[in-house]
Amino acid sequence: MPSRRFFAILIPWLAAIAAAFFVSLHLGRVSTDLTRLLPRGDAPEEQLLLGQLREGPATRLILVAVGGGDTQELAEISRRLQAALAANPAFSLVENGSLRLGDPRLEALFPLRYLLGPDAACREDLRGARLRDALQARLRELSGPLPPPDKNRLAADPTACFRALLQAWRPATEPRRMRGVWFTRDGTSALLVAQTRAPASDLEGQQQAVDAIRSAFARAAPDSRASLRLTGPGYFAVGSRDAIRADTTKLSLLGSLLVLLILGAAFRSPWLILLGALPLASGILAGVLAVQGLFGYIHGIGLAMGLTLLGVALDYPLHVISHARFGPHRALGGIWRTLFLGVLTTALAYLALTLTDFEGLAQLGMLATTGVLIAALTSRYLLPPMIDAVPRRKGERGLGLGLSIKRQAPGRLGLILGGLASVILLVALTIHGLPWETDLRRLSTVPEADIALDQRLREEFGAPDVNRLFYQWADNPEQALRRQERALPALEALVAEGRIQGFEAAARYLPSTEAQGRRQAQFPDAECLEADLERALQGLPFRGDAFAPFVADVAAAKGAKPATLSSLRETAGGAEVASLLMPVEKGWLSLVPLIGLDDGGQSVPMPPPGMHYIDLAAASSGLLDRFLGETLSKLEISAAVIWLVLLVGLRDLRRLGRMLVVISLALQLDLVAIILLDGRINLFHLVALLLVLGLSIDYSLFFTRPGQTPKERATTFTALVLCALSSFAMFALLGLSSIAVLHAIGATVAIGIALAFSLSWLFAAP
Amino acid sequence: MSIGQTPRGRSKRLGPESVLTWLLMLSSPAFAVPPGDLSGLMAQLSEVRSVSARYTETIQVSLLEHGIESTGTIRYVAPDTLIESVDGEPSREIRIQGDRIRISEADETREIDVGEHRAIESMVSALRSVFAGNLVELERHFRVRFERLGSKQDGAGWHLTLTPDDAEVAWLFSHIEIRGSGREIHRIEIREPNGDSRTMRFERQKIDPPDG
């Protein structure tokens, strides 16, 4: 049992850790919104892009495919699923292609038909001979083989204005219909589309929506062979969160167990193992608190990557314990300078990240820098007295591994190897190009098969390419709609020229108040309409009073307040309009998604005056490019600073030379290994390389430490083996994960540790 | 149960005159084997290879002063073809075959998918399944009520009431009533929720194979 002094430090320390933990929980707010990792962006383009990524209507779509049964069965399931989900407030829109004649959202739209519908059926047909033609057309339909589906509305709508309105609102392309509902072209799966109210970035909301679909399906298809497949941004986000959570928990538990075993075998004392863990825990909490205090929240991915970078902080207590406990007398005093240099350079490397205007990266830098410093300070000032207070067991000896640090390789070999590595790297880069991963989708953790399914379903739906669109700013919805109305002829010309197959625009659904006013002026007044109607009815078999509801409705429309965004909120088409015209921070943003943009000409169609063109995919990969570029440029700055610090701190060019050979070789070879293994380098690889940088500074500093006795060198070597082995165990396990992010980090770091350690050993100083 | 399965011992006991009476009975539609239940009726109808008949259609719409009447011929060919030709100018033909409906009117022909709309699908299914005696298909879309009409002497009269299961279909028509006797369909009436209706009466039917 350790002495009282041990507990006199331990108890306040643990209390501080516990307090920090609760404060952090209370400050709370771990954000899992991937888009927050990206820069805030000042340019309107970037804001639009981020808004789209975060909230855009396309991100709230979940595509549903029900397969594995006969057409009849699948159609039934599709209907039941549609009915159940449409009643669920989690969804703003659920469509399966069915007509749903009695849908209350259609009923709510019906009174607005004259204000919103197309000219021919909703205004021109209300007068004179055109009215008679319309009545005759209805009569033919009545006596036709198939009664018109809107027959019940005939008395109030003899010109079939509502039918024309719905026709005009139909999407340009739709999946094929079988048994009255959407099916894939091959007829094997029924298709539905659900729009969640929660944005894709609200993972809780998305989770609830996905759960709702699953349970509705289970009820809609009991004892059925039918199977449910989902795709869509929100679904992917939920799936990846669950997968990451499960894998991280499993692998880090296993990893911690391995590290415990390694430390247990080395230290043979639970108290010393505890001391090994305390600085790391303190560092993590301090880092998290610093980020929460500064940013108001912490990003989930920033947290995960920050913890990764803090892996280097496990080394500090291990050095201290190894030297204080198992080294020769006063060995501990000799490592402070080396340790200090290591901590300082690592902290500087991570600090560079805080200078970026990418919030996620800045958080990551903040967390890692604070964590490294706190772990080092606690290791320096709290650990030594506590280590002394742990009584030695009988016969406790040094940690001799029977190996020590010897000068292994002449400096010239370093130059040759360094040159060789650079050549390999150059060759690899020439073959592959600099394979930065700039496809945002591939940064996610979605399996390839799911991405392929998503692609296929989108094609089946003929959904507009949500990546390419015109957009426009306005002060208010009315201004936005008027501007769009002026642009409609130019847009229609693009369709006529074949440059695009079609487009979506809010003004096609909702005319501006001004335009609606012009329409109202065109409606005949009640007297005029009654007179025209009387003439039109002559010689037709309709009852004289048959169309009284029609006269009343036109009169109501003439005097009605114009329809606005809010009048469409609960009607059919309302969700579509809301996704095309939306309030943003300053004003209103309207989107005009382009359908079937012809890529052959390579040139982008000229947007109508006042509109701008954006390719979201290109813009997002540009953003990611900048993200990576900025990270790299900040790293260049920190590399220069680190080099200076080491130069001043070591005042030994030969030692610095050896260290640089080790560090640059380790990083270059690791990079080559990543390119060979994964083909591309993504953000997570880059963060992992940062940790490898920190670790190789640490290893090479200790391996090149001059002026030690052989016994001291043996102790240092053992401490380094412990450090490398425990970090390696942790990250190699992560590298086994099938999740791209975890694999990237784990494999990169594990390979980097192996490289940094063996190279440091190879280029050790005497 | 078919006649061929009658036990031997029993047919031995029939004298020549009873055989004659029996044949006479069979050849007259009115004395066809009375369908004791729905599946019996459907089994009988399913033996029909083709039917052709003249029809008169009356459409009653509350908005109209009087009903609209039209005449024409209808032809059913097993298992899934229905052709309706309307008399008069311009001529009009509706041909339902498999999954397609083809409507030819004057020079214009348009085609739609039977499955395009639920209501059309139900209506087509009602007509076709009754002609084809396909109870399974009928029960997919409707609750089916079967009634035998008249006394035992009349024998073969029947009345089917089909009520759509689906709310969307029910919005368009509340039920379909079909009357007939033996393998002959006499009248199909489609009733709408607002009281409107379409009634088709058939006469001069030619059924293949003929009875007996």
Side-chain angles (χ1 to χ4, degrees):
Chain A
M1 200 63 168
S3 72
R4 208 180 273 172
R5 197 168 164 213
F6 181 90
F7 292 102
I9 303 174
L10 180 69
I11 290 166
W13 193 354
L14 284 178
I17 287 180
F21 183 71
F22 282 109
V23 171
S24 164
L25 272 189
H26 188 68
L27 281 176
R29 288 244 294 132
V30 174
S31 160
T32 39
D33 178 352
L34 188 70
T35 55
R36 293 190 85 150
L37 265 184
L38 299 172
R40 284 175 202 269
D42 318 311
E45 288 232 337
E46 283 180 349
Q47 256 189 16
L48 167 69
L49 165 65
L50 294 179
Q52 280 289 293
L53 288 175
R54 212 171 292 190
E55 312 278 341
T59 69
R60 295 189 282 124
L61 289 185
I62 298 180
L63 306 184
V64 182
V66 181
D70 67 21
T71 316
Q72 173 76 28
E73 187 189 0
L74 295 179
E76 287 304 326
I77 295 171
S78 165
R79 280 168 201 285
R80 285 196 287 264
L81 199 53
Q82 194 279 332
L85 296 179
N88 188 327
F91 300 96
S92 51
L93 187 71
V94 184
E95 290 292 347
N96 68 345
S98 62
L99 268 186
R100 296 200 310 285
L101 296 164
D103 189 333
R105 289 166 8 108
L106 281 179
E107 294 306 313
L109 183 63
F110 187 63
L112 300 175
R113 64 192 178 284
Y114 290 111
L115 290 173
L116 307 181
D119 280 333
C122 300
R123 277 169 298 284
E124 292 161 10
D125 284 359
L126 303 184
R127 290 175 188 274
R130 301 258 321 226
L131 184 56
R132 186 179 167 86
D133 291 347
L135 292 178
Q136 279 174 324
R138 297 297 91 76
L139 191 62
R140 271 200 304 281
E141 285 169 8
L142 280 179
S143 54
L146 306 165
D150 53 358
K151 181 173 164 294
N152 290 357
R153 305 195 193 275
L154 184 59
D157 187 13
T159 63
C161 163
F162 193 52
R163 193 196 299 171
L165 169 70
L166 294 182
Q167 204 84 45
W169 282 14
R170 263 176 91 144
T173 49
E174 270 188 292
R176 85 180 270 199
R177 274 206 180 79
M178 288 165 75
R179 305 261 166 193
V181 299
W182 286 333
F183 265 81
T184 50
R185 276 188 292 274
D186 62 5
T188 56
S189 303
L191 295 174
L192 294 92
V193 55
Q195 191 175 51
T196 61
R197 284 196 202 277
S201 50
D202 170 7
L203 290 189
E204 286 309 319
Q206 291 295 331
Q207 179 77 62
Q208 281 165 18
V210 168
D211 290 347
I213 295 175
R214 290 229 168 92
S215 65
F217 174 74
R219 282 193 305 273
D223 334 305
S224 162
R225 287 173 300 122
S227 60
L228 179 75
R229 281 173 307 163
L230 304 176
T231 80
Y235 169 72
F236 288 159
V238 168
S240 60
R241 179 183 66 162
D242 288 351
I244 292 181
R245 209 180 258 173
D247 245 33
T248 312
T249 313
K250 191 178 73 191
L251 293 175
S252 51
L253 269 180
L254 261 175
S256 309
L257 206 68
L258 260 179
V259 172
L260 273 182
L261 279 176
I262 294 168
L263 295 187
F267 296 157
R268 291 163 193 265
S269 155
W271 301 108
L272 292 181
I273 295 175
L274 175 69
L275 290 186
L278 281 177
L280 184 60
S282 313
I284 291 171
L285 278 169
V288 170
L289 277 179
V291 171
Q292 281 176 325
L294 214 67
F295 293 87
Y297 78 98
I298 187 161
H299 196 285
I301 291 182
L303 177 66
M305 296 203 287
L307 294 185
T308 306
L309 285 188
L310 278 182
V312 72
L314 181 63
D315 287 8
Y316 308 147
L318 296 190
H319 283 303
V320 173
I321 296 171
S322 303
H323 285 86
R325 188 67 171 199
F326 305 102
H329 187 52
R330 299 172 79 85
L332 186 57
I335 68 163
W336 292 135
R337 193 184 165 78
T338 310
L339 196 64
F340 174 71
L341 265 180
V343 170
L344 190 63
T345 45
T346 307
L348 279 172
Y350 296 167
L351 191 64
L353 295 181
T354 58
L355 302 178
T356 62
D357 63 349
F358 288 86
E359 205 164 273
L361 216 52
Q363 283 199 357
L364 172 61
M366 188 73 201
L367 199 161
T369 311
T370 316
V372 161
L373 289 177
I374 293 296
L377 285 175
T378 49
S379 300
R380 167 69 182 87
Y381 293 105
L382 297 180
L383 282 193
M386 292 178 83
I387 296 169
D388 286 342
V390 177
R392 287 170 190 270
R393 283 178 299 111
K394 255 187 221 165
E396 186 178 282
R397 290 181 302 119
L399 280 175
L401 278 173
L403 284 168
S404 184
I405 301 170
K406 285 190 205 131
R407 170 183 274 244
Q408 305 276 336
R412 218 172 299 141
L413 181 63
L415 289 180
I416 296 168
L417 275 180
L420 210 62
S422 303
V423 170
I424 294 175
L425 187 62
L426 266 176
V427 169
L429 291 185
T430 323
I431 295 171
H432 283 271
L434 192 58
W436 291 128
E437 183 59 77
T438 52
D439 186 346
L440 261 188
R441 272 192 310 181
R442 285 179 206 287
L443 253 191
S444 73
T445 47
V446 182
E448 286 291 325
D450 280 2
I451 293 182
L453 175 68
D454 188 52
Q455 196 75 36
R456 232 187 55 223
L457 290 188
R458 270 171 204 284
E459 277 161 25
E460 294 277 2
F461 273 104
D465 175 1
V466 289
N467 278 325
R468 291 186 286 190
L469 38 95
F470 292 148
Y471 66 94
Q472 193 175 36
W473 306 101
D475 298 331
N476 50 56
E478 176 64 13
Q479 191 187 40
L481 291 170
R482 284 187 198 184
R483 286 183 180 169
Q484 264 194 11
E485 279 162 2
R486 283 198 290 278
L488 283 178
L491 289 167
E492 270 146 19
L494 284 178
V495 180
E497 288 162 23
R499 297 297 307 279
I500 52 175
Q501 280 170 22
F503 62 92
E504 282 274 26
R508 285 179 117 181
Y509 295 90
L510 177 65
S512 64
T513 305
E514 186 189 40
Q516 289 182 59
R518 278 198 304 274
R519 290 178 175 196
Q520 283 176 316
Q522 291 175 42
F523 297 147
D525 54 40
E527 265 174 50
C528 192
L529 182 60
E530 269 167 5
D532 275 357
L533 188 61
E534 207 182 307
R535 270 194 296 280
L537 283 173
Q538 273 167 23
L540 297 182
F542 289 106
R543 262 187 232 284
D545 60 349
F547 298 109
F550 163 57
V551 176
D553 280 7
V554 173
K558 195 167 174 66
K561 264 205 240 159
T564 60
L565 273 182
S566 57
S567 23
L568 288 186
R569 197 163 292 145
E570 296 302 323
T571 72
E576 284 85 347
V577 179
S579 66
L580 294 169
L581 178 58
M582 60 198 89
V584 286
E585 254 173 63
K586 292 169 258 167
W588 288 73
L589 168 64
S590 55
L591 305 176
V592 179
L594 304 176
I595 301 165
L597 177 59
D598 179 20
D599 259 336
Q602 310 261 309
S603 70
V604 168
M606 264 295 274
M611 289 199 174
H612 312 276
Y613 172 81
I614 188 170
D615 181 339
L616 286 177
S620 74
S621 71
L623 199 62
L624 215 56
D625 260 343
R626 251 188 57 202
F627 190 101
L628 292 167
E630 196 165 322
T631 310
L632 280 180
S633 71
K634 292 295 182 292
L635 287 182
E636 280 164 20
I637 298 172
S638 64
V641 174
I642 289 169
W643 193 81
L644 260 174
V645 168
L646 287 177
L647 188 68
V648 173
L650 297 175
R651 277 183 233 106
D652 178 348
L653 270 179
R654 289 174 64 103
R655 186 175 169 195
L656 186 56
R658 283 178 175 269
M659 282 183 64
L660 287 182
V661 164
V662 169
I663 295 167
S664 64
L665 265 181
L667 290 177
Q668 286 181 59
L669 291 176
D670 205 2
L671 199 56
V672 171
I674 296 168
I675 295 173
L676 292 180
L677 271 179
D678 293 350
R680 301 190 76 78
I681 304 167
N682 64 33
L683 195 63
F684 304 108
H685 289 121
L686 209 59
V687 171
L689 280 175
L690 272 177
L691 172 60
V692 174
L693 170 71
L695 290 170
S696 30
I697 293 174
D698 186 52
Y699 299 161
S700 60
L701 261 176
F702 274 93
F703 266 112
T704 55
R705 194 151 67 98
Q708 302 174 84
T709 64
K711 230 184 145 191
E712 276 174 335
R713 278 210 289 276
T715 307
T716 302
F717 182 77
T718 313
L720 284 167
V721 169
L722 265 186
C723 292
L725 206 58
S726 43
S727 311
F728 183 82
M730 198 86 189
F731 285 99
L733 268 175
L734 275 191
L736 296 180
S737 168
S738 57
I739 293 168
V741 180
L742 299 182
H743 165 79
I745 292 178
T748 310
V749 176
I751 294 170
I753 289 173
L755 284 167
F757 186 84
S758 45
L759 285 165
S760 299
W761 194 5
L762 192 63
F763 290 100
Chain B
M1 183 185 278
S2 75
I3 305 298
Q5 283 170 324
T6 311
R8 234 170 215 237
R10 192 163 165 194
S11 61
K12 262 186 188 169
R13 270 190 261 137
L14 294 169
E17 36 335 293
S18 51
V19 172
L20 190 68
T21 327
W22 184 65
L23 279 175
L24 275 173
M25 272 171 66
L26 268 185
S27 61
S28 149
F31 291 94
V33 177
D37 56 24
L38 180 57
S39 49
L41 168 65
M42 290 312 216
Q44 249 191 321
L45 288 169
S46 69
E47 284 163 16
V48 173
R49 283 200 292 271
S50 74
V51 181
S52 69
R54 290 287 303 162
Y55 75 86
T56 308
E57 186 177 39
T58 313
I59 299 172
Q60 293 288 352
V61 181
S62 60
L63 294 177
L64 298 178
E65 297 276 7
H66 48 80
I68 308 170
E69 207 171 81
S70 59
T71 55
T73 53
I74 190 160
R75 192 170 147 72
Y76 162 77
V77 182
D80 64 359
T81 306
L82 260 179
I83 304 158
E84 188 187 328
S85 309
V86 190
D87 297 342
E89 283 299 321
S91 68
R92 181 196 272 168
E93 189 191 85
I94 300 105
R95 186 187 182 93
I96 306 171
Q97 188 167 21
D99 284 339
R100 307 293 292 168
I101 303 177
R102 200 171 69 199
I103 301 172
S104 315
E105 217 162 343
D107 312 328
E108 198 192 338
T109 297
R110 61 195 168 105
E111 269 197 46
I112 49 176
D113 218 12
V114 170
E116 183 79 11
H117 298 307
R118 183 79 160 167
I120 295 175
E121 190 187 2
S122 291
M123 205 183 280
V124 167
S125 162
L127 296 180
R128 214 155 48 177
S129 312
V130 171
F131 274 109
N134 186 345
L135 186 57
V136 176
E137 176 67 15
L138 204 57
E139 285 182 330
R140 263 190 173 162
H141 297 269
F142 302 97
R143 273 166 286 139
V144 182
R145 208 183 69 199
F146 172 77
E147 255 179 295
R148 211 187 323 168
L149 292 181
S151 60
K152 281 215 162 151
Q153 282 72 26
D154 296 345
W158 48 264
H159 179 193
L160 284 179
T161 309
L162 311 178
T163 312
D165 275 331
D166 188 274
E168 186 183 319
V169 179
W171 205 75
L172 281 181
F173 54 91
S174 50
H175 57 271
I176 299 178
E177 286 182 41
I178 303 172
R179 287 165 201 268
S181 62
R183 302 183 305 168
E184 219 174 271
I185 298 167
H186 297 157
R187 205 176 99 143
I188 298 178
E189 185 176 0
I190 300 170
R191 288 197 160 277
E192 295 175 28
N194 64 357
D196 291 356
S197 67
R198 293 168 86 95
T199 311
M200 260 183 150
R201 288 184 189 79
F202 302 105
E203 50 196 358
R204 287 191 268 153
Q205 288 194 37
K206 292 195 193 86
I207 299 178
D208 175 60
D211 280 325

